[in-house]
């Protein structure tokens, strides 16, 4: 990673992507704040994201990354403000959102196979009581192929590695054929094949005119996005990665614990300065 020049911080809290400008699809986050009891997780966030955009939400532990993304899917309710996804004619919609949570250990008491797990994505769009259509079955098979898990389709989740499980969960999200794909720490600590496969799919979804949000701790991953949102409860900076992920702004988000090596590589020393009880709340 080369040296990134210092740039002045954005003058406002709103960032609008340009790639999908003019499309009816948008994610709008307006005056958003979220608190868990007396713990403020997210404060006064304003973002507008157009179609055909990858957004990386980056920040230290407890900075509100997962909470911000979870308000878009409706998993978390705002204390103030709102997060909405608008479709054609500005109509609000939530059934076209796929939210893939950070990978967890599979429960052996629920013997789901890879195929059954991916099918659940189509049921989320169609409804569990309705029969899957030929279009649904095509979406399922396409998702399995794209995530390179065809040879695992009859394996149970608890038999898989962490990377294989994560690819399965992302395939479940893809099977929904959603307009907005939300990925919470999708590649953290996983094998190279899983990382490459997921990031390739992220690019493909963006190029198809969809919106992808991903949370990450990694500056290199965030630099691959169209828009980087640097969080520390509130938005420290938002915009193109070249102007957002600078040593100065990263230092502001990470409490000054940013080191620039001789080759220009940025090393983040995350001291966990934020109260992360709200992240525990999401995990429970």
């Amino acid at each position: 990673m080369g040296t990134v020049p210092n740039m002045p911080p954005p003058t406002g809290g709103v960032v609008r992507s340009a790639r999908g400008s003019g499309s009816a699809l948008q994610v709008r986050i307006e005056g958003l704040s979220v608190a868990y009891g007396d713990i403020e997780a997210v404060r006064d966030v304003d973002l507008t994201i157009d179609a055909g955009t990858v957004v990386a939400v980056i920040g230290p532990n407890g900075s509100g990354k997962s909470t911000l993304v979870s308000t878009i899917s409706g998993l978390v309710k705002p204390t103030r403000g709102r997060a909405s996804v608008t479709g054609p004619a500005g109509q609000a919609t939530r059934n076209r959102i796929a939210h893939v949570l950070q990978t967890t250990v599979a429960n052996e008491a629920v013997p789901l196979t890879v195929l059954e797990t991916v099918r659940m994505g189509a049921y989320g769009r169609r409804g569990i009581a309705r029969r899957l259509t030929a279009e649904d079955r095509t979406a399922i098979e396409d998702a399995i192929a794209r995530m390179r898990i065809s040879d695992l389709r009859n394996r149970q989740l608890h038999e898989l590695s962490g990377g294989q499980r994560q690819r399965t969960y992302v395939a479940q999200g893809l099977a929904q054929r959603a307009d907005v794909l939300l990925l919470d720490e999708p590649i953290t600590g996983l094998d190279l094949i899983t990382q490459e496969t997921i990031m390739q799919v992220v690019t493909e979804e963006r190029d198809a005119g969809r919106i992808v949000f991903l949370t990450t701790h990694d500056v290199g991953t965030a630099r691959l996005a169209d828009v980087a949102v640097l969080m520390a409860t509130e938005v420290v900076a938002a915009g193109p990665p070249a102007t957002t992920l600078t040593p100065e702004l990263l230092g502001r988000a990470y409490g000054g614990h940013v080191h620039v090596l001789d080759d220009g590589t940025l090393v983040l020393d995350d001291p966990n300065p934020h109260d992360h009880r709200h992240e525990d709340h999401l995990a429970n």
Side-chain angles (χ1 to χ4, degrees), residues 173-194:
L174 294 175
Q176 293 186 43
R177 296 256 170 119
D179 295 317
V180 179
L181 180 61
L182 309 174
L183 303 173
D184 192 8
E185 297 281 355
I187 63 174
T188 300
L190 298 179
D191 60 273
L192 184 59
I193 291 177
T194 295

Side-chain angles (χ1 to χ4, degrees), residues 8 87 146 249 260 281:
R146 291 173 68 189
L249 294 174
V260 184
H281 175 87

Side-chain angles (χ1 to χ4, degrees), residues 79-266:
T79 306
R80 296 190 308 275
R82 66 173 187 159
S84 62
V85 178
T86 57
Q91 295 176 346
T93 176
R94 284 200 182 275
N95 62 350
R96 300 296 286 176
I97 303 171
H99 189 175
V100 181
L101 299 175
Q102 190 171 0
T103 187
T104 57
V105 177
N107 186 350
E108 294 189 26
V110 183
L112 286 174
T113 66
V114 167
L115 178 58
E116 289 167 339
T117 301
V118 178
R119 277 178 180 163
M120 290 170 66
Y123 283 125
R125 178 164 62 96
R126 182 70 59 185
I128 192 71
R130 300 180 63 179
R131 295 183 62 181
L132 296 180
T133 66
E135 179 185 1
D136 295 325
R137 289 190 288 272
T138 297
I140 292 165
E141 293 302 323
D142 178 65
I144 288 174
R146 291 173 68 189
M147 295 312 302
R148 306 184 195 179
I149 52 175
S150 297
D151 58 329
L152 304 173
R153 61 194 302 121
N154 295 319
R155 297 271 298 277
Q156 294 187 4
L157 286 182
H158 68 83
E159 298 174 332
L160 306 181
S161 68
Q164 291 169 334
R165 277 198 303 274
Q166 184 71 342
R167 279 186 274 153
T168 300
Y169 293 137
V170 174
Q172 183 186 82
L174 294 175
Q176 293 186 43
R177 296 256 170 119
D179 295 317
V180 179
L181 180 61
L182 309 174
L183 303 173
D184 192 8
E185 297 281 355
I187 63 174
T188 300
L190 298 179
D191 60 273
L192 184 59
I193 291 177
T194 295
Q195 293 184 37
E196 291 178 344
T197 302
I198 291 176
M199 293 311 296
Q200 179 181 342
V201 163
V202 166
T203 299
E204 291 169 354
E205 291 296 288
R206 185 270 310 278
D207 292 345
R210 302 183 180 99
I211 296 173
V212 181
F213 276 76
L214 60 91
T215 66
T216 182
H217 288 276
D218 182 62
V219 174
T221 300
R223 288 198 183 285
L224 301 175
D226 303 302
V227 172
V229 178
L230 183 57
M231 293 285 298
T233 303
E234 59 189 6
V235 174
V236 174
T243 63
T244 302
L245 304 178
T246 67
E248 177 187 356
L249 294 174
L250 287 164
R252 195 180 302 174
Y254 284 81
H257 295 261
V258 176
H259 311 282
V260 184
L261 304 183
D262 290 340
D263 64 357
T265 300
L266 300 178

